[in-house]
Amino acid sequence: MGVDKKILVIPGDGIGQEVTAWGQKVLVTIAENYKHNFVFEEGIMGHVAIEATGNPLPDETLEKARKSDAILFGAIGHAKYDNDPSLKVRPEQGLLKIRKELGLYANLRPIKLFDELLEASSIKPEILRGSDILFFRELTGDVYFGEKKRTEDRNTASDLMIYHRYEVERIARKAYEAARTRRKKLCSVDKANVLEASRLWREVVQEIAKEYPDVETEHMFIDNAAMQLIKDPKRFDVVVTGNLFGDILTDEASQIAGSMGMLASASIGDGAGFYEPIHGSAHDIAGKGIANPLASILSVALMLDISFGLKNESQRVIKAVEATLKQGYRTMDIANKHTDNHLVMGTDAMGAKVLENLN
């Protein structure tokens, strides 16, 4: 029996518009092959929304998001804002607001290495082989949402790092539940030797750990975690951490997978899930047709599994990506010296190959 789902597609800025098109095409193909009914709507957010409406998250887009079963997102950002930090209205405000409004407090980022991409990473293959990490990054607290101040003379600035007990409790439980389905190991990352917010974080995780005696719990300071992630990534199974540390660690972990263009993510809470590749808008390559669509396609696999409960369909998408890589096809970001030049292709050609392997 097929399912009926409403999906909001927000391509966003830069290469987001190019790669999201292939994520949507994969969803259309899955719907056709498995007799599901996926209804799509489109919304704007980020720089394109500011240009069109003056608002990085227009009310119309937010309303569509609230009525959707899941959201497929591309990326936000533009060099204009990077070059002028004084601008008050910024694309990232739209992303922070939609997370807050939809209660998306947990960001899941699976770091699973395809064997075919061992040579694409700058890390030695023998260190990487077998790495499989699931990050849980808290999304609605920390310095990103704490009070921000700048003195009148503009010479001093501060950002409040703040966490409430309930914020730590709810993401810790989700991380522990996931650990139970994997290798039953959880590493909580903080800076409890220096930061009071981290001391609260560690206290709460220690309390929640008692509810999951079957899961081995480890606490690690952020600086050590950053080192161990590169030194011995296989030691990690499930990692749970705050907003700031999670942002940094998951970008670092992109080197395990060979490229940011390979990493999918899911932002979840108590309502519709929000699915996106972790790469940015990459305006330096936007419009050139060379962006890697695989992270967007793998984000669709997460959507099918987490939001829709369609595990077979999710695995089918992952296997189609794996088959495409086994056939030797690469975009520029995951090509290496051993890749035949005629197998290096652009966004559309790579997306088309995945669709071929999906059928």
Side-chain angles (χ1 to χ4, degrees):
M1 178 72 71
V3 300
D4 293 299
K5 298 293 180 182
K6 182 180 289 186
I7 301 167
L8 176 63
V9 180
I10 307 177
D13 303 323
I15 64 170
Q17 301 185 21
E18 300 168 46
V19 300
T20 305
W22 286 101
Q24 184 173 351
K25 287 176 182 178
V26 166
L27 282 167
V28 169
T29 302
I30 286 292
E32 291 172 349
N33 291 351
Y34 289 87
K35 310 304 180 188
H36 301 307
N37 180 34
F38 295 159
V39 177
F40 298 95
E41 281 197 288
E42 188 163 314
I44 58 173
M45 191 166 83
H47 171 68
V48 293
I50 294 172
E51 292 290 294
T53 70
N55 186 345
L57 178 62
D59 292 343
E60 182 182 1
T61 299
L62 182 57
E63 190 59 29
K64 288 178 179 178
R66 288 194 172 113
K67 294 178 180 178
S68 299
D69 296 301
I71 299 133
L72 177 63
F73 177 64
I76 57 169
H78 193 279
K80 168 183 176 180
Y81 307 91
D82 298 334
N83 296 329
D84 188 355
S86 68
L87 290 173
K88 299 298 184 185
V89 179
R90 309 181 66 83
E92 295 79 10
Q93 292 166 347
L95 188 57
L96 294 176
K97 183 177 179 181
I98 200 169
R99 288 173 179 169
K100 200 77 170 179
E101 292 291 330
L102 298 182
L104 304 172
Y105 59 81
N107 182 240
L108 281 66
R109 294 191 179 184
I111 312 293
K112 184 172 175 58
L113 179 67
F114 291 93
D115 284 345
E116 292 74 23
L117 297 182
L118 278 170
E119 297 291 340
S121 174
S122 57
I123 305 172
K124 294 177 181 178
E126 58 268 27
I127 300 294
L128 290 177
R129 188 174 281 107
S131 298
D132 185 358
I133 310 170
L134 179 57
F135 280 90
F136 278 76
R137 169 192 169 192
E138 201 286 326
L139 273 187
T140 60
D142 214 332
V143 295
Y144 293 174
F145 287 93
E147 184 181 5
K148 304 176 187 310
K149 292 182 178 179
R150 181 77 73 92
T151 56
E152 288 187 11
D153 63 10
R154 309 296 289 173
N155 291 328
T156 305
S158 65
D159 295 273
L160 178 64
M161 176 179 279
I162 182 169
Y163 265 116
H164 300 91
R165 178 173 294 273
Y166 77 91
E167 292 174 312
V168 186
E169 286 177 342
R170 63 188 182 183
I171 193 167
R173 286 198 172 92
K174 282 203 178 286
Y176 272 107
E177 291 293 337
R180 275 183 164 170
T181 69
R182 292 167 55 92
R183 289 187 283 141
K184 294 183 170 58
K185 292 177 61 179
L186 181 140
C187 179
S188 176
V189 175
D190 58 39
K191 192 62 176 170
N193 58 336
V194 175
L195 301 172
E196 195 62 37
S198 277
R199 284 191 271 276
L200 172 66
W201 180 282
R202 185 170 292 209
E203 288 171 14
V204 174
V205 173
Q206 287 173 335
E207 292 169 9
I208 300 299
K210 297 173 184 176
E211 302 173 19
Y212 300 87
D214 53 322
V215 176
E216 176 188 340
T217 302
E218 178 181 22
H219 297 274
M220 191 176 292
F221 296 142
I222 175 61
D223 40 357
N224 185 32
M227 179 184 71
Q228 296 296 335
L229 190 60
I230 297 300
K231 180 182 177 183
D232 186 18
K234 291 190 290 292
R235 70 173 290 166
F236 296 104
D237 179 21
V238 172
V239 177
V240 62
T241 190
N243 208 342
L244 175 62
F245 299 156
D247 194 0
I248 296 167
L249 285 180
T250 51
D251 278 9
E252 180 189 6
S254 69
Q255 278 305 295
I256 295 172
S259 168
M260 276 190 171
M262 292 299 301
L263 296 186
S265 77
S267 298
I268 61 174
D270 300 319
F274 188 90
Y275 299 86
E276 60 177 312
I278 79 160
H279 60 66
S281 53
H283 277 273
D284 56 326
I285 63 169
K288 295 181 180 179
I290 60 175
N292 188 344
L294 296 184
S296 183
I297 291 170
L298 290 169
S299 295
V300 161
L302 283 178
M303 178 192 296
L304 293 168
D305 183 1
I306 296 171
S307 279
F308 301 164
L310 301 174
K311 295 188 181 299
N312 289 338
E313 289 86 332
S314 174
Q315 284 300 309
R316 186 73 193 86
V317 173
I318 294 171
K319 289 184 182 302
V321 170
E322 189 172 24
T324 302
L325 295 173
K326 283 183 182 296
Q327 290 163 355
Y329 298 111
R330 303 285 188 271
T331 45
M332 287 180 62
D333 58 308
I334 53 174
N336 59 59
K337 61 185 178 182
H338 304 299
T339 305
D340 291 336
N341 287 336
H342 73 279
L343 296 178
V344 178
M345 51 184 49
T347 308
D348 292 345
M350 182 63 103
K353 289 295 179 184
V354 175
L355 287 189
E356 286 178 21
N357 285 314
L358 199 56
N359 287 312

